Amino acid sequence: DLSVCVIDIRSGKIVRRFGGENVHANRITDMAFSPDGRWVGTSCMDGGIRVFDIPSGRMIDWMVFSKAPVSLAFSSRGDFLVTAHTGNVGLFLWANKTYSGHVYLGGGVPSTPHEIDVESLEHTNDPSQSSTVAKQQADADEKDNDDSLFSTIHMKGGVIPKCKGALTLSGLPESRWAHLNSLEMIKERNKPSMPVKAPPEAPFFLNVTSGINPTLNPETLASSLEQEGDSKQRVHGKSGSILPESRLTRLMVTAAAAYKNNNNNNAKDSKGNGSNPREIGDEKSLNSSSESSSSSLSSPFQPVTEFLRGLGPSAIDAEIRNLASDPNTERRDLAAALTYFEAEIKSLRNFEFINAILSLFLKVHHENIMSHKFTLRKKLKAVREVQKETWRAVERQFHYTLCMVNHLSGIQQ
């Protein structure tokens, strides 16, 4: 009947049925389960490969090839799919985009397939045709991305929450933030075993002896090298020099001032209305403030987050270390950074990215913060309370999800 049935071995009942005449238009040639058992893929003589999600019972991907597929298989980790096609003795390897892209769980069944020309891929090793085929494939991929369900996600400012008060992640690759605290260890591990020796420097004008056969004067050469070394030491060894203010410092200070003005205006409005603002530790106040902040993507600290999101791990580490480089404005810069972390954690956006940067910030500047602990104590307490309350909400969701999974697993057994 052109369908694939999933049967529970213990009960002997059909728990899922995929396909049918409305899905598969011809004979099914092969099928394969993903390593985690969540997906099942089918190949059909109508030229299509369909991937079904077993728990939801929906088709999540649909590809149509110019040559009908006769066999398919998943890799051991599920990150690749290999296919074989009629009239071709080669194997085709396809990468799983969910391992490198963003997964959107709110979509429906694909209405149109992704059309792939196998014959054009057979000539990609030809240098005369590789650029043309690559350009055509890139244009096709761009069109598929525009038409796919993933196009509803806007990753510029992070994942957009689907409801008010929902905590969202940054959507960045894990390599961008997971190893921020380990960069020093990574650099130490990758450091060459033997130090690199710089070539001997020569003066700009070579001193030679006069005569028919001019030769270098070693005494004059040594004295000139010593003079150049002393001049370089005087230039680079100036004491009391102050590094220029970094771009991250400027953005944080400007945003902190705008954030303070907004809070003052809100406080005046609340006093005029006769309402008393609640403390930071109040859960209802935290939820209401996070809902209002997460609903609007524009905030004073958005340029700061966008700037950090565009940097690599090494650049983020350099910017964080350059914070508060001027002793005259050290307390102001540290206070602006703590205000930034408090506001961004409270907004419930870019959760893992902001916490990773906060961890690096405390690791680098903890001594400077302790030197101003009496003036920064209030801000440190505010950051701690907001982070603790936000994590409690996430932890409750984790526990609830684990309990539901264990309960449903027990029912199926």
Side-chain angles (χ1 to χ4, degrees):
D1 58 354
L2 304 180
S3 63
V4 175
C5 300
V6 180
I7 302 175
D8 186 6
I9 297 178
R10 295 183 179 180
S11 62
K13 297 181 180 179
I14 298 177
V15 294
R16 290 289 186 272
R17 185 187 296 271
F18 301 110
E21 296 181 357
N22 296 329
V23 177
H24 298 115
N26 208 324
R27 180 173 58 88
I28 299 176
T29 56
D30 196 9
M31 58 159 289
F33 284 94
S34 61
D36 57 359
R38 183 180 180 89
W39 296 348
V40 58
T42 62
S43 59
C44 185
M45 287 302 295
D46 60 1
I49 287 182
R50 297 163 179 83
V51 180
F52 300 92
D53 184 66
I54 296 178
S56 63
R58 297 187 300 108
M59 182 173 63
I60 59 175
D61 201 0
W62 182 14
M63 300 172 288
V64 171
F65 299 88
S66 58
K67 293 184 178 181
V70 294
S71 181
L72 78 163
F74 287 93
S75 63
S76 59
R77 293 192 303 173
D79 50 350
F80 291 101
L81 176 71
V82 61
T83 60
H85 300 266
T86 57
N88 194 294
V89 295
L91 298 176
F92 293 84
L93 195 65
W94 311 95
N96 190 347
K97 294 175 64 175
T98 60
Y99 277 72
S100 58
H102 309 288
V103 182
Y104 181 56
L105 302 178
V109 178
S111 58
T112 57
H114 303 290
E115 298 182 358
I116 301 176
D117 187 5
V118 177
E119 296 178 355
S120 63
L121 299 178
E122 296 175 358
H123 306 286
T124 52
N125 294 328
D126 187 357
S128 61
Q129 299 183 7
S130 58
S131 59
T132 304
V133 173
K135 185 176 183 302
Q136 294 176 354
Q137 187 66 25
D139 296 339
D141 292 342
E142 183 178 0
K143 181 179 179 181
D144 291 342
N145 291 334
D146 294 339
D147 297 337
S148 64
L149 299 173
F150 298 95
S151 61
T152 57
I153 297 181
H154 306 281
M155 301 309 300
K156 182 180 180 181
V159 180
I160 298 179
K162 298 183 70 66
C163 62
K164 291 183 178 180
L167 186 145
T168 58
L169 303 180
S170 63
L172 294 173
E174 188 176 351
S175 58
R176 298 280 293 277
W177 54 266
H179 305 292
L180 286 177
N181 283 331
S182 307
L183 285 180
E184 294 181 356
M185 182 182 67
I186 295 173
K187 292 179 180 178
E188 184 69 21
R189 183 186 62 190
N190 296 336
K191 189 167 60 175
S193 57
M194 297 293 294
V196 180
K197 294 183 179 180
E201 298 181 356
F204 186 76
F205 294 101
L206 298 178
N207 296 281
V208 296
T209 58
S210 59
I212 299 177
N213 297 320
T215 58
L216 291 174
N217 189 349
E219 296 180 357
T220 311
L221 178 62
S223 61
S224 62
L225 289 176
E226 290 179 359
Q227 292 177 359
E228 289 186 4
D230 295 339
S231 63
K232 290 182 179 180
Q233 186 176 4
R234 288 195 298 269
V235 171
H236 297 286
K238 293 182 179 179
S239 60
S241 60
I242 299 176
L243 294 175
E245 189 178 48
S246 64
R247 182 182 176 185
L248 179 62
T249 304
R250 294 195 301 269
L251 290 174
M252 280 190 173
V253 172
T254 304
Y259 182 76
K260 183 178 180 181
N261 293 333
N262 292 343
N263 288 345
N264 293 336
N265 294 334
N266 294 336
K268 291 179 182 180
D269 295 340
S270 61
K271 288 182 179 179
N273 296 332
S275 59
N276 295 325
R278 299 182 178 181
E279 296 295 332
I280 296 179
D282 191 351
E283 182 177 357
K284 295 182 179 178
S285 175
L286 177 65
N287 293 335
S288 61
S289 62
S290 62
E291 289 180 5
S292 60
S293 59
S294 61
S295 60
S296 60
L297 292 178
S298 60
S299 66
F301 290 109
Q302 186 180 2
V304 182
T305 305
E306 289 300 322
F307 173 68
L308 291 172
R309 286 172 57 89
L311 301 178
S314 299
I316 293 176
D317 181 77
E319 289 289 343
I320 294 297
R321 293 182 184 276
N322 287 334
L323 276 175
S325 59
D326 188 354
N328 299 324
T329 60
E330 184 181 66
R331 186 176 64 85
R332 182 204 66 179
D333 299 343
L334 293 176
L338 291 174
T339 304
Y340 164 74
F341 289 118
E342 177 192 356
E344 286 301 294
I345 293 175
K346 190 184 297 183
S347 68
L348 303 180
R349 296 197 305 269
N350 302 293
F351 182 73
E352 85 288 13
F353 183 66
I354 296 299
N355 278 275
I357 297 179
L358 174 60
S359 177
L360 176 63
F361 171 78
L362 295 177
K363 176 183 176 182
V364 173
H365 296 286
H366 66 279
E367 294 182 356
N368 298 334
I369 294 174
M370 290 303 297
S371 63
H372 303 282
K373 63 180 180 179
F374 295 104
T375 55
L376 299 178
R377 179 181 296 177
K378 186 177 179 181
K379 292 187 177 295
L380 280 172
K381 184 179 179 181
V383 174
R384 177 186 177 186
E385 292 297 328
V386 171
Q387 187 184 34
K388 186 185 298 184
E389 190 61 36
T390 305
W391 174 246
R392 284 174 182 170
V394 176
E395 192 176 27
R396 284 194 294 267
Q397 290 295 326
F398 281 153
H399 290 167
Y400 174 78
T401 304
L402 289 174
C403 290
M404 291 299 298
V405 170
N406 292 333
H407 176 67
L408 295 176
S409 300
I411 291 177
Q412 289 182 356
Q413 291 179 359

